Amino acid sequence: QVQLVESGGGLVQPGGSLRLSCAASGSILSINAMDWYRQAPGKERELVATITHGSTTILADSVKGRFTVSKDNAKNTVYLQMNSLKPEDTAVYYCNALITTLTSDFARSYWGKGTLVTVSS
């Protein structure tokens, strides 16, 4: 019913930038919030950024001042602009969204399959 598709990952040198996108599609009635998580090799998945329905943004301390999160409501798309990338930002980045569909009475969480970001010289 609902799909989240991330894009924009790749290999970048330290200090470089990348912009990730996550597009939600399907029988969407409303999106309450959209998040970016990441999981580095051998580590647990961690929350990186959140943007609420009202466009309030929350960033993890580790990325404040370097990453920004934004969205395009008309496209059901959330973006993660990543600047001043560090090797420790290397991870698979996942999109998560709290979505109410046309056929449900409540919101549930949906995940994308992830996009790999590698920061290395």
Side-chain angles (χ1 to χ4, degrees), residues 22-25 28 31 34 71-79:
C22 171
S25 62
I28 297 169
I31 300 177
M34 299 184 84
K71 64 176 179 171
D72 184 332
N73 290 330
K75 296 181 179 180
N76 288 334
T77 298
V78 63
Y79 305 96

Side-chain angles (χ1 to χ4, degrees), residues 19-39:
R19 188 193 194 206
L20 306 184
S21 299
C22 171
S25 62
S27 56
I28 297 169
L29 178 63
S30 65
I31 300 177
N32 292 17
M34 299 184 84
D35 309 304
W36 286 99
Y37 285 76
R38 67 184 180 186
Q39 188 166 19

Side-chain angles (χ1 to χ4, degrees), residues 44-67:
E44 294 187 352
R45 192 172 296 189
E46 63 172 348
L47 179 61
V48 176
T50 295
I51 185 163
T52 69
H53 179 75
S55 297
T56 298
T57 61
I58 303 169
L59 294 168
D61 288 343
S62 58
V63 305
K64 281 180 181 176
R66 301 187 298 121
F67 291 11

Side-chain angles (χ1 to χ4, degrees), residues 51-104:
I51 185 163
T52 69
H53 179 75
S55 297
T56 298
T57 61
I58 303 169
L59 294 168
D61 288 343
S62 58
V63 305
K64 281 180 181 176
R66 301 187 298 121
F67 291 11
T68 57
V69 59
S70 61
K71 64 176 179 171
D72 184 332
N73 290 330
K75 296 181 179 180
N76 288 334
T77 298
V78 63
Y79 305 96
L80 186 67
Q81 177 66 44
M82 305 186 295
N83 300 326
S84 303
L85 282 161
K86 305 175 180 180
E88 51 263 43
D89 295 318
T90 295
V92 177
Y93 284 72
Y94 297 91
C95 177
N96 174 266
L98 198 59
I99 294 174
T100 303
T101 67
L102 296 172
T103 57
S104 68

